[in-house]
Amino acid sequence: MSKHPVVLFDSGVGGTSLLKEIIHLLPRENIVYLADSKNAPYGLRTSQDIIDLSIKNTELAIQMKAKMIVVACNTATTNAISFLRSNYSLPFIGIEPAIKPAALNSKAKRIGVLATKGTLSSELFKQTSESFTEGVNVIEVIGKGIVEAVEGGWTNDEAFINNLNQQIQPFIKEDIDYLVLGCTHFPYIIPKLRELLPKHVTLIDSGRAVAEQTKTILREKHLKNTDDSFGGINIYTNTDNSSHLQELMKDFSNVSITRREF
């Protein structure tokens, strides 16, 4: 089993931000990434739609002999991971907005969360927020059009930047000191956010922590690949966005990107 792949899935290309963290931390692992761009964004879908899409991706991962599945999508994690863990025996790693470290470290006691509608409206997000934000003012903003811009490679367009600037005004008005990025697509707009937000605002996402958790669970379950040979990185996409994926992964060698239906 140790040589079987770790399979990640996301509603498109955004989860490659987490994929990069896992590659850095686990360079010997055989990794498969499923970019479900055909159904992006998940954040505008119903909870049942998100569960159904997560089942579809999980079934494909099992066909690929996955030893672990990383749900590299905040919306899918908050809406579907409880169902997946209850119905499948292999280990699942999820990704949630990093509210806890933001709330604990905030001196202003005012933090922002930029996430999809599907994440912010989920019961899991509500539970996590209530557990760690007592005495902290949490300003929630639904990120509109961000996933689509990252998927399409439009994040440098003037119209997108103007739209993003409008969306973050509540954070500026409330003078937050931490902004939690609640979607794996959103790390790709960090340069733009740093230009638009006050300098004292710290941006935080869950990518590194999830990669660390992936490593920990692989070790605890004796699934970590100890072979000296590199397993490889295989990305599958169900749309014609291979060139965009190649650009996002340009700093990594031995990456295979293939179009397939799923």
Side-chain angles (χ1 to χ4, degrees):
M1 283 288 289
S2 65
K3 293 184 180 180
H4 288 203
V6 175
V7 178
L8 295 79
F9 74 81
D10 179 44
S11 61
V13 305
T16 56
S17 63
L18 173 56
L19 173 63
K20 293 172 185 178
E21 297 282 2
I22 290 177
I23 293 169
H24 280 306
L25 204 59
L26 296 163
R28 291 179 176 174
E29 292 296 336
N30 176 21
I31 298 174
V32 172
Y33 180 89
L34 305 176
D36 190 17
S37 293
K38 182 171 68 176
N39 293 299
Y42 282 9
L44 298 179
R45 294 179 174 273
T46 67
S47 182
Q48 188 58 54
D49 282 345
I50 296 162
I51 291 171
D52 291 342
L53 290 167
S54 297
I55 291 170
K56 177 203 67 168
N57 294 326
T58 295
E59 293 288 348
L60 178 55
I62 290 171
Q63 290 175 28
M64 294 176 167
K65 302 187 184 301
K67 63 182 178 181
M68 170 187 282
I69 295 178
V70 179
V71 184
C73 173
N74 293 80
T75 303
T77 296
T78 52
N79 285 272
I81 200 162
S82 294
F83 177 91
L84 297 176
R85 285 173 172 158
S86 297
N87 288 275
Y88 296 93
S89 59
L90 73 172
F92 285 85
I93 303 293
I95 182 165
E96 298 178 53
I99 295 173
K100 181 179 179 180
L104 291 176
N105 289 291
S106 174
K107 292 182 172 59
K109 298 303 177 186
R110 294 182 299 276
I111 67 172
V113 180
L114 183 65
T116 67
K117 179 182 179 182
T119 292
L120 293 176
S121 62
S122 69
E123 188 62 31
L124 182 56
F125 174 82
K126 180 182 177 182
Q127 292 171 0
T128 303
S129 184
E130 289 177 349
S131 297
F132 300 113
T133 60
E134 185 176 356
V136 176
N137 185 18
V138 181
I139 296 90
E140 301 174 6
V141 170
I142 296 171
K144 296 179 180 178
I146 301 175
V147 170
E148 293 88 339
V150 173
E151 286 288 316
W154 311 320
T155 55
N156 289 319
D157 288 8
E158 184 178 355
F160 169 75
I161 295 170
N162 289 337
N163 177 50
L164 181 63
N165 187 42
Q166 288 299 313
Q167 292 188 61
I168 64 172
Q169 290 308 305
F171 301 138
I172 296 172
K173 181 180 179 181
E174 295 295 332
D175 195 24
I176 65 167
D177 58 356
Y178 275 81
L179 176 58
V180 178
L181 303 181
C183 174
T184 50
H185 283 76
F186 293 1
Y188 285 114
I189 62 165
I190 284 177
K192 297 295 178 286
L193 288 170
R194 285 187 173 143
E195 290 175 8
L196 298 171
L197 288 166
K199 301 300 182 186
H200 69 272
V201 176
T202 299
L203 302 176
I204 184 169
D205 73 88
S206 307
R208 182 68 181 185
V210 174
E212 293 281 2
Q213 177 70 355
T214 301
K215 181 179 180 180
T216 297
I217 299 302
L218 285 174
R219 184 174 60 245
E220 288 179 353
K221 294 187 176 294
H222 308 289
L223 292 172
K224 196 166 180 286
N225 185 16
T226 56
D227 196 308
D228 286 336
S229 61
F230 170 62
I233 305 162
N234 292 282
I235 297 176
Y236 295 96
T237 176
N238 52 17
T239 63
D240 295 321
N241 62 348
S242 296
S243 60
H244 186 33
L245 280 161
Q246 287 170 350
E247 176 63 23
L248 293 175
M249 298 299 296
K250 64 184 179 182
D251 295 331
F252 296 85
S253 59
N254 300 317
V255 176
S256 170
I257 300 174
T258 305
R259 166 73 190 268
R260 68 171 290 174
E261 292 300 322
F262 62 91

mmCIF file of all heavy atoms in Angstrom, residues 31-80:
data_model
loop_
_atom_site.group_PDB
_atom_site.id
_atom_site.type_symbol
_atom_site.label_atom_id
_atom_site.label_comp_id
_atom_site.label_asym_id
_atom_site.label_seq_id
_atom_site.Cartn_x
_atom_site.Cartn_y
_atom_site.Cartn_z
ATOM 1 N N ILE A 31 1.636 10.873 -6.286
ATOM 2 C CA ILE A 31 0.505 11.773 -6.040
ATOM 3 C C ILE A 31 -0.343 11.918 -7.300
ATOM 4 O O ILE A 31 0.180 12.106 -8.399
ATOM 5 C CB ILE A 31 1.000 13.157 -5.570
ATOM 6 C CG1 ILE A 31 1.768 13.028 -4.244
ATOM 7 C CG2 ILE A 31 -0.182 14.114 -5.396
ATOM 8 C CD1 ILE A 31 2.418 14.304 -3.790
ATOM 9 N N VAL A 32 -1.652 11.840 -7.107
ATOM 10 C CA VAL A 32 -2.613 12.078 -8.191
ATOM 11 C C VAL A 32 -3.489 13.250 -7.783
ATOM 12 O O VAL A 32 -3.940 13.333 -6.635
ATOM 13 C CB VAL A 32 -3.485 10.834 -8.457
ATOM 14 C CG1 VAL A 32 -4.597 11.162 -9.452
ATOM 15 C CG2 VAL A 32 -2.633 9.681 -8.979
ATOM 16 N N TYR A 33 -3.722 14.148 -8.717
ATOM 17 C CA TYR A 33 -4.581 15.310 -8.473
ATOM 18 C C TYR A 33 -5.708 15.308 -9.486
ATOM 19 O O TYR A 33 -5.474 15.228 -10.705
ATOM 20 C CB TYR A 33 -3.774 16.611 -8.584
ATOM 21 C CG TYR A 33 -4.582 17.861 -8.347
ATOM 22 C CD1 TYR A 33 -4.733 18.372 -7.068
ATOM 23 C CD2 TYR A 33 -5.205 18.531 -9.399
ATOM 24 C CE1 TYR A 33 -5.487 19.517 -6.838
ATOM 25 C CE2 TYR A 33 -5.952 19.673 -9.182
ATOM 26 C CZ TYR A 33 -6.085 20.163 -7.897
ATOM 27 O OH TYR A 33 -6.835 21.291 -7.672
ATOM 28 N N LEU A 34 -6.948 15.404 -8.998
ATOM 29 C CA LEU A 34 -8.134 15.454 -9.854
ATOM 30 C C LEU A 34 -8.679 16.876 -9.873
ATOM 31 O O LEU A 34 -9.174 17.370 -8.856
ATOM 32 C CB LEU A 34 -9.201 14.494 -9.336
ATOM 33 C CG LEU A 34 -8.781 13.026 -9.152
ATOM 34 C CD1 LEU A 34 -9.927 12.218 -8.547
ATOM 35 C CD2 LEU A 34 -8.335 12.421 -10.475
ATOM 36 N N ALA A 35 -8.584 17.526 -11.017
ATOM 37 C CA ALA A 35 -9.069 18.900 -11.173
ATOM 38 C C ALA A 35 -10.451 18.858 -11.813
ATOM 39 O O ALA A 35 -10.588 18.725 -13.035
ATOM 40 C CB ALA A 35 -8.103 19.709 -12.036
ATOM 41 N N ASP A 36 -11.488 18.957 -10.988
ATOM 42 C CA ASP A 36 -12.864 18.861 -11.474
ATOM 43 C C ASP A 36 -13.369 20.225 -11.948
ATOM 44 O O ASP A 36 -14.399 20.733 -11.497
ATOM 45 C CB ASP A 36 -13.750 18.310 -10.351
ATOM 46 C CG ASP A 36 -15.148 17.949 -10.827
ATOM 47 O OD1 ASP A 36 -15.349 17.822 -12.055
ATOM 48 O OD2 ASP A 36 -16.037 17.802 -9.970
ATOM 49 N N SER A 37 -12.629 20.805 -12.890
ATOM 50 C CA SER A 37 -12.952 22.151 -13.371
ATOM 51 C C SER A 37 -14.304 22.214 -14.075
ATOM 52 O O SER A 37 -14.954 23.259 -14.106
ATOM 53 C CB SER A 37 -11.850 22.647 -14.319
ATOM 54 O OG SER A 37 -10.636 22.844 -13.628
ATOM 55 N N LYS A 38 -14.739 21.084 -14.634
ATOM 56 C CA LYS A 38 -16.029 21.054 -15.334
ATOM 57 C C LYS A 38 -17.176 21.439 -14.406
ATOM 58 O O LYS A 38 -18.177 22.006 -14.846
ATOM 59 C CB LYS A 38 -16.260 19.656 -15.911
ATOM 60 C CG LYS A 38 -17.547 19.501 -16.698
ATOM 61 C CD LYS A 38 -17.605 18.157 -17.417
ATOM 62 C CE LYS A 38 -17.716 17.009 -16.427
ATOM 63 N NZ LYS A 38 -17.866 15.703 -17.136
ATOM 64 N N ASN A 39 -17.028 21.158 -13.130
ATOM 65 C CA ASN A 39 -18.092 21.418 -12.163
ATOM 66 C C ASN A 39 -17.793 22.583 -11.232
ATOM 67 O O ASN A 39 -18.498 22.785 -10.238
ATOM 68 C CB ASN A 39 -18.362 20.149 -11.351
ATOM 69 C CG ASN A 39 -18.947 19.050 -12.201
ATOM 70 O OD1 ASN A 39 -20.014 19.198 -12.771
ATOM 71 N ND2 ASN A 39 -18.219 17.952 -12.330
ATOM 72 N N ALA A 40 -16.751 23.343 -11.530
ATOM 73 C CA ALA A 40 -16.420 24.511 -10.719
ATOM 74 C C ALA A 40 -17.369 25.666 -11.050
ATOM 75 O O ALA A 40 -17.843 25.784 -12.187
ATOM 76 C CB ALA A 40 -14.978 24.938 -10.983
ATOM 77 N N PRO A 41 -17.648 26.502 -10.032
ATOM 78 C CA PRO A 41 -17.214 26.394 -8.638
ATOM 79 C C PRO A 41 -18.185 25.572 -7.802
ATOM 80 O O PRO A 41 -19.405 25.650 -8.006
ATOM 81 C CB PRO A 41 -17.199 27.853 -8.176
ATOM 82 C CG PRO A 41 -18.288 28.504 -8.991
ATOM 83 C CD PRO A 41 -18.308 27.785 -10.315
ATOM 84 N N TYR A 42 -17.662 24.798 -6.853
ATOM 85 C CA TYR A 42 -18.521 24.045 -5.945
ATOM 86 C C TYR A 42 -19.287 24.983 -5.005
ATOM 87 O O TYR A 42 -20.363 24.643 -4.527
ATOM 88 C CB TYR A 42 -17.683 23.090 -5.084
ATOM 89 C CG TYR A 42 -17.213 21.819 -5.765
ATOM 90 C CD1 TYR A 42 -17.352 21.609 -7.130
ATOM 91 C CD2 TYR A 42 -16.615 20.809 -5.010
ATOM 92 C CE1 TYR A 42 -16.903 20.446 -7.734
ATOM 93 C CE2 TYR A 42 -16.174 19.643 -5.597
ATOM 94 C CZ TYR A 42 -16.303 19.460 -6.953
ATOM 95 O OH TYR A 42 -15.861 18.297 -7.543
ATOM 96 N N GLY A 43 -18.704 26.129 -4.727
ATOM 97 C CA GLY A 43 -19.253 27.020 -3.710
ATOM 98 C C GLY A 43 -20.636 27.558 -3.991
ATOM 99 O O GLY A 43 -21.315 28.031 -3.088
ATOM 100 N N LEU A 44 -21.097 27.473 -5.238
ATOM 101 C CA LEU A 44 -22.435 27.954 -5.587
ATOM 102 C C LEU A 44 -23.456 26.830 -5.651
ATOM 103 O O LEU A 44 -24.635 27.065 -5.925
ATOM 104 C CB LEU A 44 -22.387 28.680 -6.936
ATOM 105 C CG LEU A 44 -21.508 29.941 -6.996
ATOM 106 C CD1 LEU A 44 -21.531 30.530 -8.400
ATOM 107 C CD2 LEU A 44 -21.971 30.976 -5.973
ATOM 108 N N ARG A 45 -23.025 25.602 -5.383
ATOM 109 C CA ARG A 45 -23.911 24.445 -5.491
ATOM 110 C C ARG A 45 -24.578 24.122 -4.159
ATOM 111 O O ARG A 45 -24.156 24.591 -3.109
ATOM 112 C CB ARG A 45 -23.108 23.230 -5.994
ATOM 113 C CG ARG A 45 -22.587 23.402 -7.421
ATOM 114 C CD ARG A 45 -21.786 22.203 -7.873
ATOM 115 N NE ARG A 45 -21.417 22.307 -9.281
ATOM 116 C CZ ARG A 45 -22.166 21.903 -10.284
ATOM 117 N NH1 ARG A 45 -23.350 21.336 -10.045
ATOM 118 N NH2 ARG A 45 -21.755 22.029 -11.537
ATOM 119 N N THR A 46 -25.612 23.291 -4.226
ATOM 120 C CA THR A 46 -26.270 22.852 -3.001
ATOM 121 C C THR A 46 -25.363 21.871 -2.264
ATOM 122 O O THR A 46 -24.451 21.264 -2.855
ATOM 123 C CB THR A 46 -27.608 22.156 -3.300
ATOM 124 O OG1 THR A 46 -27.349 20.917 -3.990
ATOM 125 C CG2 THR A 46 -28.513 23.036 -4.145
ATOM 126 N N SER A 47 -25.648 21.679 -0.980
ATOM 127 C CA SER A 47 -24.866 20.744 -0.191
ATOM 128 C C SER A 47 -24.936 19.335 -0.769
ATOM 129 O O SER A 47 -23.923 18.621 -0.830
ATOM 130 C CB SER A 47 -25.356 20.747 1.261
ATOM 131 O OG SER A 47 -24.581 19.879 2.061
ATOM 132 N N GLN A 48 -26.104 18.917 -1.236
ATOM 133 C CA GLN A 48 -26.233 17.577 -1.810
ATOM 134 C C GLN A 48 -25.448 17.448 -3.104
ATOM 135 O O GLN A 48 -24.829 16.401 -3.361
ATOM 136 C CB GLN A 48 -27.704 17.236 -2.065
ATOM 137 C CG GLN A 48 -27.929 15.778 -2.476
ATOM 138 C CD GLN A 48 -27.415 14.793 -1.446
ATOM 139 O OE1 GLN A 48 -27.772 14.868 -0.276
ATOM 140 N NE2 GLN A 48 -26.554 13.862 -1.875
ATOM 141 N N ASP A 49 -25.437 18.490 -3.924
ATOM 142 C CA ASP A 49 -24.621 18.478 -5.143
ATOM 143 C C ASP A 49 -23.146 18.280 -4.794
ATOM 144 O O ASP A 49 -22.425 17.516 -5.452
ATOM 145 C CB ASP A 49 -24.767 19.789 -5.919
ATOM 146 C CG ASP A 49 -26.054 19.879 -6.713
ATOM 147 O OD1 ASP A 49 -26.704 18.824 -6.901
ATOM 148 O OD2 ASP A 49 -26.413 20.986 -7.139
ATOM 149 N N ILE A 50 -22.694 18.978 -3.767
ATOM 150 C CA ILE A 50 -21.292 18.898 -3.363
ATOM 151 C C ILE A 50 -20.959 17.500 -2.860
ATOM 152 O O ILE A 50 -19.897 16.940 -3.180
ATOM 153 C CB ILE A 50 -20.980 19.964 -2.288
ATOM 154 C CG1 ILE A 50 -21.166 21.363 -2.871
ATOM 155 C CG2 ILE A 50 -19.560 19.803 -1.750
ATOM 156 C CD1 ILE A 50 -21.309 22.457 -1.830
ATOM 157 N N ILE A 51 -21.871 16.901 -2.096
ATOM 158 C CA ILE A 51 -21.670 15.524 -1.634
ATOM 159 C C ILE A 51 -21.600 14.567 -2.820
ATOM 160 O O ILE A 51 -20.721 13.693 -2.886
ATOM 161 C CB ILE A 51 -22.784 15.117 -0.651
ATOM 162 C CG1 ILE A 51 -22.654 15.897 0.656
ATOM 163 C CG2 ILE A 51 -22.739 13.605 -0.371
ATOM 164 C CD1 ILE A 51 -23.827 15.728 1.599
ATOM 165 N N ASP A 52 -22.502 14.731 -3.775
ATOM 166 C CA ASP A 52 -22.524 13.854 -4.953
ATOM 167 C C ASP A 52 -21.230 13.969 -5.761
ATOM 168 O O ASP A 52 -20.684 12.953 -6.221
ATOM 169 C CB ASP A 52 -23.724 14.185 -5.838
ATOM 170 C CG ASP A 52 -25.049 13.801 -5.192
ATOM 171 O OD1 ASP A 52 -25.050 12.998 -4.242
ATOM 172 O OD2 ASP A 52 -26.095 14.336 -5.642
ATOM 173 N N LEU A 53 -20.744 15.188 -5.952
ATOM 174 C CA LEU A 53 -19.490 15.383 -6.683
ATOM 175 C C LEU A 53 -18.315 14.790 -5.911
ATOM 176 O O LEU A 53 -17.396 14.204 -6.509
ATOM 177 C CB LEU A 53 -19.264 16.876 -6.945
ATOM 178 C CG LEU A 53 -20.204 17.525 -7.960
ATOM 179 C CD1 LEU A 53 -20.110 19.046 -7.902
ATOM 180 C CD2 LEU A 53 -19.897 17.033 -9.379
ATOM 181 N N SER A 54 -18.358 14.906 -4.602
ATOM 182 C CA SER A 54 -17.278 14.346 -3.770
ATOM 183 C C SER A 54 -17.294 12.824 -3.835
ATOM 184 O O SER A 54 -16.224 12.190 -3.845
ATOM 185 C CB SER A 54 -17.425 14.832 -2.328
ATOM 186 O OG SER A 54 -17.300 16.237 -2.252
ATOM 187 N N ILE A 55 -18.480 12.227 -3.893
ATOM 188 C CA ILE A 55 -18.585 10.774 -4.059
ATOM 189 C C ILE A 55 -17.986 10.355 -5.394
ATOM 190 O O ILE A 55 -17.220 9.392 -5.484
ATOM 191 C CB ILE A 55 -20.058 10.325 -3.956
ATOM 192 C CG1 ILE A 55 -20.568 10.493 -2.529
ATOM 193 C CG2 ILE A 55 -20.211 8.880 -4.419
ATOM 194 C CD1 ILE A 55 -22.062 10.295 -2.393
ATOM 195 N N LYS A 56 -18.328 11.097 -6.443
ATOM 196 C CA LYS A 56 -17.797 10.792 -7.777
ATOM 197 C C LYS A 56 -16.273 10.813 -7.782
ATOM 198 O O LYS A 56 -15.610 9.893 -8.283
ATOM 199 C CB LYS A 56 -18.321 11.828 -8.791
ATOM 200 C CG LYS A 56 -17.775 11.661 -10.203
ATOM 201 C CD LYS A 56 -17.856 12.949 -10.998
ATOM 202 C CE LYS A 56 -16.929 14.010 -10.446
ATOM 203 N NZ LYS A 56 -16.767 15.179 -11.341
ATOM 204 N N ASN A 57 -15.686 11.845 -7.189
ATOM 205 C CA ASN A 57 -14.233 11.961 -7.148
ATOM 206 C C ASN A 57 -13.613 10.878 -6.277
ATOM 207 O O ASN A 57 -12.542 10.342 -6.598
ATOM 208 C CB ASN A 57 -13.841 13.341 -6.631
ATOM 209 C CG ASN A 57 -14.233 14.457 -7.577
ATOM 210 O OD1 ASN A 57 -14.213 14.286 -8.790
ATOM 211 N ND2 ASN A 57 -14.618 15.607 -7.027
ATOM 212 N N THR A 58 -14.284 10.546 -5.170
ATOM 213 C CA THR A 58 -13.785 9.495 -4.283
ATOM 214 C C THR A 58 -13.788 8.137 -4.980
ATOM 215 O O THR A 58 -12.819 7.370 -4.871
ATOM 216 C CB THR A 58 -14.633 9.442 -2.998
ATOM 217 O OG1 THR A 58 -14.463 10.669 -2.283
ATOM 218 C CG2 THR A 58 -14.224 8.271 -2.115
ATOM 219 N N GLU A 59 -14.851 7.840 -5.702
ATOM 220 C CA GLU A 59 -14.933 6.566 -6.416
ATOM 221 C C GLU A 59 -13.815 6.450 -7.457
ATOM 222 O O GLU A 59 -13.221 5.376 -7.631
ATOM 223 C CB GLU A 59 -16.305 6.420 -7.083
ATOM 224 C CG GLU A 59 -17.471 6.280 -6.107
ATOM 225 C CD GLU A 59 -17.512 4.930 -5.406
ATOM 226 O OE1 GLU A 59 -16.782 4.016 -5.836
ATOM 227 O OE2 GLU A 59 -18.273 4.793 -4.431
ATOM 228 N N LEU A 60 -13.517 7.541 -8.141
ATOM 229 C CA LEU A 60 -12.425 7.527 -9.110
ATOM 230 C C LEU A 60 -11.089 7.321 -8.403
ATOM 231 O O LEU A 60 -10.232 6.557 -8.872
ATOM 232 C CB LEU A 60 -12.409 8.835 -9.907
ATOM 233 C CG LEU A 60 -11.287 8.988 -10.941
ATOM 234 C CD1 LEU A 60 -11.277 7.830 -11.934
ATOM 235 C CD2 LEU A 60 -11.409 10.324 -11.673
ATOM 236 N N ALA A 61 -10.909 7.979 -7.267
ATOM 237 C CA ALA A 61 -9.665 7.814 -6.501
ATOM 238 C C ALA A 61 -9.489 6.362 -6.059
ATOM 239 O O ALA A 61 -8.371 5.821 -6.097
ATOM 240 C CB ALA A 61 -9.679 8.744 -5.290
ATOM 241 N N ILE A 62 -10.567 5.720 -5.661
ATOM 242 C CA ILE A 62 -10.495 4.315 -5.244
ATOM 243 C C ILE A 62 -10.128 3.430 -6.435
ATOM 244 O O ILE A 62 -9.336 2.480 -6.298
ATOM 245 C CB ILE A 62 -11.835 3.887 -4.607
ATOM 246 C CG1 ILE A 62 -12.006 4.586 -3.253
ATOM 247 C CG2 ILE A 62 -11.897 2.373 -4.446
ATOM 248 C CD1 ILE A 62 -13.377 4.412 -2.633
ATOM 249 N N GLN A 63 -10.676 3.737 -7.613
ATOM 250 C CA GLN A 63 -10.295 2.997 -8.816
ATOM 251 C C GLN A 63 -8.791 3.119 -9.085
ATOM 252 O O GLN A 63 -8.166 2.203 -9.627
ATOM 253 C CB GLN A 63 -11.072 3.517 -10.024
ATOM 254 C CG GLN A 63 -12.554 3.192 -10.029
ATOM 255 C CD GLN A 63 -13.266 3.843 -11.205
ATOM 256 O OE1 GLN A 63 -12.663 4.095 -12.261
ATOM 257 N NE2 GLN A 63 -14.548 4.122 -11.040
ATOM 258 N N MET A 64 -8.231 4.264 -8.700
ATOM 259 C CA MET A 64 -6.793 4.504 -8.883
ATOM 260 C C MET A 64 -5.955 3.928 -7.744
ATOM 261 O O MET A 64 -4.767 4.192 -7.655
ATOM 262 C CB MET A 64 -6.550 6.016 -8.993
ATOM 263 C CG MET A 64 -7.151 6.644 -10.225
ATOM 264 S SD MET A 64 -6.926 8.452 -10.223
ATOM 265 C CE MET A 64 -7.369 8.826 -11.923
ATOM 266 N N LYS A 65 -6.606 3.144 -6.862
ATOM 267 C CA LYS A 65 -5.948 2.467 -5.742
ATOM 268 C C LYS A 65 -5.366 3.455 -4.731
ATOM 269 O O LYS A 65 -4.271 3.267 -4.194
ATOM 270 C CB LYS A 65 -4.864 1.494 -6.237
ATOM 271 C CG LYS A 65 -5.390 0.422 -7.179
ATOM 272 C CD LYS A 65 -4.330 -0.595 -7.506
ATOM 273 C CE LYS A 65 -4.837 -1.607 -8.530
ATOM 274 N NZ LYS A 65 -6.021 -2.346 -8.073
ATOM 275 N N ALA A 66 -6.106 4.522 -4.471
ATOM 276 C CA ALA A 66 -5.650 5.518 -3.499
ATOM 277 C C ALA A 66 -5.452 4.881 -2.123
ATOM 278 O O ALA A 66 -6.268 4.067 -1.676
ATOM 279 C CB ALA A 66 -6.674 6.648 -3.393
ATOM 280 N N LYS A 67 -4.383 5.276 -1.455
ATOM 281 C CA LYS A 67 -4.174 4.844 -0.064
ATOM 282 C C LYS A 67 -4.694 5.908 0.907
ATOM 283 O O LYS A 67 -4.910 5.645 2.080
ATOM 284 C CB LYS A 67 -2.697 4.573 0.203
ATOM 285 C CG LYS A 67 -1.770 5.792 0.060
ATOM 286 C CD LYS A 67 -0.328 5.405 0.309
ATOM 287 C CE LYS A 67 0.612 6.587 0.121
ATOM 288 N NZ LYS A 67 2.028 6.208 0.331
ATOM 289 N N MET A 68 -4.887 7.111 0.397
ATOM 290 C CA MET A 68 -5.419 8.228 1.175
ATOM 291 C C MET A 68 -6.029 9.226 0.208
ATOM 292 O O MET A 68 -5.539 9.388 -0.920
ATOM 293 C CB MET A 68 -4.312 8.907 1.988
ATOM 294 C CG MET A 68 -4.716 10.213 2.649
ATOM 295 S SD MET A 68 -3.313 11.051 3.422
ATOM 296 C CE MET A 68 -3.176 10.067 4.910
ATOM 297 N N ILE A 69 -7.093 9.909 0.642
ATOM 298 C CA ILE A 69 -7.697 10.951 -0.177
ATOM 299 C C ILE A 69 -7.617 12.273 0.575
ATOM 300 O O ILE A 69 -8.015 12.359 1.745
ATOM 301 C CB ILE A 69 -9.160 10.626 -0.525
ATOM 302 C CG1 ILE A 69 -9.212 9.372 -1.412
ATOM 303 C CG2 ILE A 69 -9.829 11.802 -1.233
ATOM 304 C CD1 ILE A 69 -10.617 8.927 -1.766
ATOM 305 N N VAL A 70 -7.109 13.281 -0.102
ATOM 306 C CA VAL A 70 -7.059 14.633 0.451
ATOM 307 C C VAL A 70 -8.131 15.452 -0.253
ATOM 308 O O VAL A 70 -8.079 15.629 -1.473
ATOM 309 C CB VAL A 70 -5.679 15.284 0.257
ATOM 310 C CG1 VAL A 70 -5.679 16.701 0.829
ATOM 311 C CG2 VAL A 70 -4.587 14.441 0.907
ATOM 312 N N VAL A 71 -9.112 15.899 0.503
ATOM 313 C CA VAL A 71 -10.164 16.740 -0.059
ATOM 314 C C VAL A 71 -9.612 18.164 -0.101
ATOM 315 O O VAL A 71 -9.686 18.908 0.870
ATOM 316 C CB VAL A 71 -11.457 16.657 0.779
ATOM 317 C CG1 VAL A 71 -12.567 17.473 0.122
ATOM 318 C CG2 VAL A 71 -11.899 15.205 0.946
ATOM 319 N N ALA A 72 -9.020 18.520 -1.246
ATOM 320 C CA ALA A 72 -8.274 19.770 -1.381
ATOM 321 C C ALA A 72 -9.192 20.929 -1.743
ATOM 322 O O ALA A 72 -8.870 21.771 -2.581
ATOM 323 C CB ALA A 72 -7.174 19.606 -2.428
ATOM 324 N N CYS A 73 -10.335 20.975 -1.083
ATOM 325 C CA CYS A 73 -11.375 21.949 -1.385
ATOM 326 C C CYS A 73 -12.104 22.259 -0.090
ATOM 327 O O CYS A 73 -12.655 21.344 0.544
ATOM 328 C CB CYS A 73 -12.335 21.364 -2.422
ATOM 329 S SG CYS A 73 -13.796 22.365 -2.766
ATOM 330 N N ASN A 74 -12.100 23.519 0.322
ATOM 331 C CA ASN A 74 -12.782 23.891 1.561
ATOM 332 C C ASN A 74 -14.276 23.595 1.498
ATOM 333 O O ASN A 74 -14.873 23.108 2.466
ATOM 334 C CB ASN A 74 -12.579 25.385 1.835
ATOM 335 C CG ASN A 74 -11.146 25.737 2.140
ATOM 336 O OD1 ASN A 74 -10.330 25.858 1.219
ATOM 337 N ND2 ASN A 74 -10.816 25.905 3.407
ATOM 338 N N THR A 75 -14.898 23.910 0.370
ATOM 339 C CA THR A 75 -16.340 23.712 0.233
ATOM 340 C C THR A 75 -16.694 22.236 0.326
ATOM 341 O O THR A 75 -17.656 21.852 1.006
ATOM 342 C CB THR A 75 -16.840 24.283 -1.096
ATOM 343 O OG1 THR A 75 -16.500 25.673 -1.173
ATOM 344 C CG2 THR A 75 -18.339 24.139 -1.232
ATOM 345 N N ALA A 76 -15.919 21.372 -0.348
ATOM 346 C CA ALA A 76 -16.184 19.937 -0.288
ATOM 347 C C ALA A 76 -15.915 19.394 1.109
ATOM 348 O O ALA A 76 -16.655 18.527 1.594
ATOM 349 C CB ALA A 76 -15.337 19.203 -1.316
ATOM 350 N N THR A 77 -14.885 19.894 1.774
ATOM 351 C CA THR A 77 -14.600 19.434 3.133
ATOM 352 C C THR A 77 -15.744 19.773 4.074
ATOM 353 O O THR A 77 -16.255 18.909 4.798
ATOM 354 C CB THR A 77 -13.300 20.066 3.661
ATOM 355 O OG1 THR A 77 -12.182 19.630 2.868
ATOM 356 C CG2 THR A 77 -13.045 19.664 5.110
ATOM 357 N N THR A 78 -16.149 21.038 4.070
ATOM 358 C CA THR A 78 -17.154 21.467 5.042
ATOM 359 C C THR A 78 -18.521 20.857 4.782
ATOM 360 O O THR A 78 -19.328 20.723 5.699
ATOM 361 C CB THR A 78 -17.264 23.013 5.072
ATOM 362 O OG1 THR A 78 -17.466 23.500 3.741
ATOM 363 C CG2 THR A 78 -16.024 23.634 5.658
ATOM 364 N N ASN A 79 -18.786 20.452 3.537
ATOM 365 C CA ASN A 79 -20.099 19.893 3.215
ATOM 366 C C ASN A 79 -20.123 18.371 3.121
ATOM 367 O O ASN A 79 -21.183 17.774 3.332
ATOM 368 C CB ASN A 79 -20.602 20.459 1.886
ATOM 369 C CG ASN A 79 -21.098 21.884 1.996
ATOM 370 O OD1 ASN A 79 -22.261 22.122 2.294
ATOM 371 N ND2 ASN A 79 -20.203 22.845 1.794
ATOM 372 N N ALA A 80 -18.984 17.740 2.809
ATOM 373 C CA ALA A 80 -19.044 16.320 2.444
ATOM 374 C C ALA A 80 -18.135 15.401 3.233
ATOM 375 O O ALA A 80 -18.326 14.183 3.192
ATOM 376 C CB ALA A 80 -18.721 16.172 0.950
#
